[in-house]
Amino acid sequence: MAASSAGIGTLLCKNINKQIEIFYPTNRRYTWCVIRRICTSISRFRCQGQIKRKSAPKELVGVVGLEVHAQIQSITKLFSGSQVRFQAPPNSLVSFFDASLPGTLPVLNRRCVEAAVMTGLALDCVINRKSLFDRKHYFYADLPAGYQITQQRRPIAVDGTLTYSHLGGTRRNTLITKSVRIKQIQLEQDSGKSLHDDRRGQTLIDLNRAGVGLMELVMEPDMSCGEEAAAAVRELQLILQALGTCQGHMDDYEIQRQVGVLKNGGTVQNETRSFDRKSGHTLPMRDKEGLQDYRFMPEPNLPPLIVYDRPSTAPPCVHPSQVVVLEEVRAGLPELPRARRTRLVESYDILPEHSFTLVNEDGLTDYFEAVVKETKAGPRKVIGWVNQVLLGLLHHHSLSVSQSPVTPQMLAQLLNLQENGQISSSVAKQVFQELWRAPGKTAQQIIQEQDLGIVSNTTEIHRICQKVVDSHPDQVQAIRGGNKKVLNKLMGLVQKETKGRADPVLVRSILEEKTS
């Protein structure tokens, strides 16, 4: 995602109200997501006001709105019984309806409806008790019917809010919270996939994806830079994953590309672009410069979609398996990311930015809570180990939390040894590194093998402290002159002599006595 707040200004506002489609296939199962629109508005630009600088009187300001297409986590497609499976052989998951053979009719998948309602509730949307399906006509070679079934007139959910946060400030340790309005969430079916063979000059069609259920989430243009868009999309991703309605990886490179085009005197084309994960860039897919006439019309083969408030309000003639009840869906909502952050702060007395890191890193909250449950160390000490030591190594080795060679139980045991006074803090970090390299061993085994236990012989510590004091008269004189910070240097020298095995509290006490 773009990390700069440099945006798109008047030139962009004149040239763009673009739709940019970015595909994100994952290597897990069959889930994918699309960020579809980066839109701009001249009125939005004016209401923000221009940022004036002496060297640049017209500052470029980004105005970003997104349409996110999230593939619904469902066993079957939106209107047919065909399975949804990632990387299946081409055209092996295609029903007669998916291929648009004459006489076939759509049958709505209840799971997809529940997923959309659940997502709407999680985003504080108004759930329309009655929504409608429409046909959106356009020609793609991989769209057999020549139209897509969507919800143009009356979508299933409207008027929501997505609250998101990101780290800002000069040191990037200040939590900044903002929100973006959700205009609507609508159900629609996906198209197939076109595979272009440039060598043979032909295009092959795979209809496995045709008819897969999607949720299109339309955000208002309330964001001003790629960093905000990245944070909003990440928060949305966490919400969808928590709900189990979608699992997708999302990225946003496009705003930087458009700024570069405009600054070089070019014109941003109205087109659909795909995202290449290998290069990290977007690539042109389809030209959309011409006026689009989708010829929307009501879908004649689907009745209005009704969502009931309670089971008692459903007609008795309708089988319960075919009824979506708002009360039941709301009762099944899990703990959402924002609520989880609040709980972490209140339960463990940690900082909001700490909870932000815990929740935004997959599996890190569970890891943290498992350590806290099994250790005598306080949550604030645990958060330092998890967010700094553990997470630093995970990022360095490009590993996920689930791939960590140091389990929560291993870290808890290490912290207990430190809390019990058996090892010092510096030795604890040394042992952690050994646990990372040799996960088959326990912390206790490593301490015994390398003789890293705390030095309990007070006479020996007194002797080493006296040796350090005698060999550094200038530092001793500085301490006696009032510069107490120099004492830390002498402590470091003592710890070096003991290989970090001396109790720092005891060492400080002895040194203070000998330098007074």
Side-chain angles (χ1 to χ4, degrees):
M1 306 293 286
S4 171
S5 61
I8 304 175
T10 51
L11 287 176
L12 184 63
C13 294
K14 292 178 181 177
N15 287 290
I16 309 177
N17 190 357
K18 307 305 179 187
Q19 295 189 16
I20 299 163
E21 216 163 302
I22 308 176
F23 294 85
Y24 307 93
T26 70
N27 56 6
R28 294 180 296 175
R29 300 184 72 180
Y30 45 78
T31 307
W32 63 281
C33 283
V34 176
I35 296 179
R36 188 173 170 219
R37 174 174 293 170
I38 294 181
C39 66
T40 60
S41 163
I42 187 67
S43 59
R44 168 73 174 165
F45 171 72
R46 283 174 177 165
C47 75
Q48 284 190 338
Q50 296 188 23
I51 301 174
K52 294 184 179 181
R53 294 181 182 176
K54 292 181 180 179
S55 59
K58 291 186 178 180
E59 182 73 12
L60 296 178
V61 177
V63 182
V64 184
L66 298 175
E67 286 184 6
V68 178
H69 285 190
Q71 178 178 313
I72 298 172
Q73 193 77 9
S74 174
I75 297 174
T76 57
K77 296 182 180 180
L78 182 58
F79 296 117
S80 78
S82 298
Q83 287 191 350
V84 178
R85 193 168 68 248
F86 184 63
Q87 289 186 334
N91 295 308
S92 62
L93 304 174
V94 184
S95 69
F96 292 156
F97 177 79
D98 302 331
S100 195
L101 296 185
T104 55
L105 295 173
V107 178
L108 184 58
N109 184 337
R110 179 191 176 189
R111 158 61 186 166
C112 293
V113 177
E114 287 181 333
V117 172
M118 186 179 293
T119 303
L121 291 174
L123 295 172
D124 296 325
C125 290
V126 175
I127 305 300
N128 283 326
R129 303 311 192 266
K130 177 181 178 181
S131 58
L132 306 172
F133 287 99
D134 305 280
R135 289 185 179 182
K136 178 182 179 180
H137 294 83
Y138 54 92
F139 175 76
Y140 287 165
D142 48 25
L143 189 68
Y147 61 84
Q148 175 194 48
I149 300 179
T150 182
Q151 291 188 303
Q152 172 68 14
R153 293 171 296 159
R154 192 172 180 83
I156 194 166
V158 295
D159 300 333
T161 302
L162 171 63
T163 301
Y164 62 94
S165 302
H166 63 93
L167 294 176
T170 55
R171 300 178 60 184
R172 298 196 61 78
N173 60 354
T174 303
L175 197 64
I176 300 172
T177 301
K178 296 188 175 182
S179 63
V180 56
R181 291 169 295 160
I182 304 294
K183 180 181 179 182
Q184 64 190 57
I185 300 175
Q186 61 196 53
L187 285 166
E188 61 185 31
Q189 59 181 167
D190 199 1
S191 60
K193 183 178 181 181
S194 296
L195 305 171
H196 304 292
D197 187 342
D198 295 332
R199 186 171 62 86
R200 297 183 180 180
Q202 61 183 9
T203 297
L204 305 177
I205 303 297
D206 179 9
L207 295 180
N208 280 349
R209 208 170 68 193
V212 169
L214 304 177
M215 290 182 291
E216 180 176 315
L217 299 96
V218 183
M219 302 182 193
E220 298 286 7
D222 296 338
M223 297 167 285
S224 60
C225 65
E227 186 174 14
E228 290 183 6
V233 168
R234 175 56 177 157
E235 186 70 12
L236 176 62
Q237 182 187 32
L238 290 171
I239 291 172
L240 296 179
Q241 289 173 339
L243 296 172
T245 56
C246 174
Q247 293 178 345
H249 293 289
M250 311 178 191
D251 301 272
D252 181 6
Y253 149 87
E254 186 60 19
I255 190 168
Q256 288 183 326
R257 185 193 73 85
Q258 291 188 19
V259 168
V261 169
L262 292 172
K263 285 187 174 181
N264 291 326
T267 301
V268 178
Q269 301 299 318
N270 193 353
E271 61 186 355
T272 298
R273 299 177 68 87
S274 65
F275 184 76
D276 182 2
R277 279 196 163 275
K278 292 183 179 179
S279 66
H281 296 166
T282 58
L283 303 174
M285 286 182 62
R286 303 184 182 98
D287 176 21
K288 289 195 173 182
E289 282 299 337
L291 179 64
Q292 299 295 315
D293 180 10
Y294 292 118
R295 293 176 289 119
F296 284 101
M297 61 170 284
E299 168 54 57
N301 294 323
L302 285 169
L305 171 58
I306 307 298
V307 176
Y308 298 95
D309 289 311
R310 295 173 300 280
S312 59
T313 60
C317 59
V318 180
H319 194 275
S321 65
Q322 300 301 315
V323 174
V324 175
V325 180
L326 199 59
E327 185 180 77
E328 295 175 353
V329 176
R330 182 179 282 109
L333 287 176
E335 183 182 48
L336 297 175
R338 189 179 177 190
R340 175 172 279 199
R341 294 189 191 98
T342 301
R343 177 179 62 80
L344 289 170
V345 171
E346 294 176 351
S347 300
Y348 300 109
D349 191 29
I350 61 176
L351 298 176
E353 48 266 34
H354 292 158
S355 70
F356 175 80
T357 303
L358 287 177
V359 174
N360 278 40
E361 196 75 32
D362 292 337
L364 199 60
T365 299
D366 294 336
Y367 189 105
F368 165 77
E369 293 192 295
V371 176
V372 170
K373 186 178 180 180
E374 299 190 28
T375 185
K376 298 176 182 178
R380 288 214 170 190
K381 176 175 279 189
V382 175
I383 199 71
W385 279 87
V386 170
N387 280 9
Q388 297 175 21
V389 182
L390 173 71
L391 200 56
L393 281 170
L394 290 174
H395 287 171
H396 179 74
H397 294 281
S398 300
L399 297 175
S400 65
V401 175
S402 61
Q403 295 172 316
S404 171
V406 180
T407 65
Q409 293 72 28
M410 294 165 67
L411 178 55
Q413 182 192 43
L414 176 62
L415 294 179
N416 284 337
L417 292 172
Q418 183 183 349
E419 289 297 305
N420 292 336
Q422 294 178 250
I423 56 174
S424 64
S425 58
S426 58
V427 166
K429 293 179 181 178
Q430 182 181 341
V431 174
F432 186 90
Q433 296 290 339
E434 292 295 325
L435 289 172
W436 185 276
R437 289 190 288 266
K441 295 183 178 181
T442 66
Q444 189 68 56
Q445 287 174 329
I446 294 171
I447 292 167
Q448 291 176 352
E449 290 174 2
Q450 301 185 20
D451 191 23
L452 297 174
I454 203 83
V455 177
S456 57
N457 190 329
T458 307
T459 303
E460 178 65 13
I461 296 177
H462 270 278
R463 186 191 67 78
I464 295 173
C465 288
Q466 187 63 54
K467 177 184 174 182
V468 170
V469 168
D470 292 342
S471 58
H472 295 83
D474 293 342
Q475 284 79 5
V476 172
Q477 190 63 34
I479 294 171
R480 288 172 176 167
N483 190 352
K484 300 299 183 182
K485 292 183 179 179
V486 179
L487 188 69
N488 294 329
K489 181 178 180 181
L490 298 185
M491 287 186 63
L493 293 172
V494 173
Q495 292 292 2
K496 185 177 180 181
E497 286 284 332
T498 61
K499 297 181 180 178
R501 296 183 299 137
D503 181 358
V505 176
L506 178 60
V507 170
R508 176 176 286 277
S509 175
I510 295 172
L511 286 175
E512 285 176 347
E513 179 185 342
K514 292 183 179 296
T515 57
S516 61

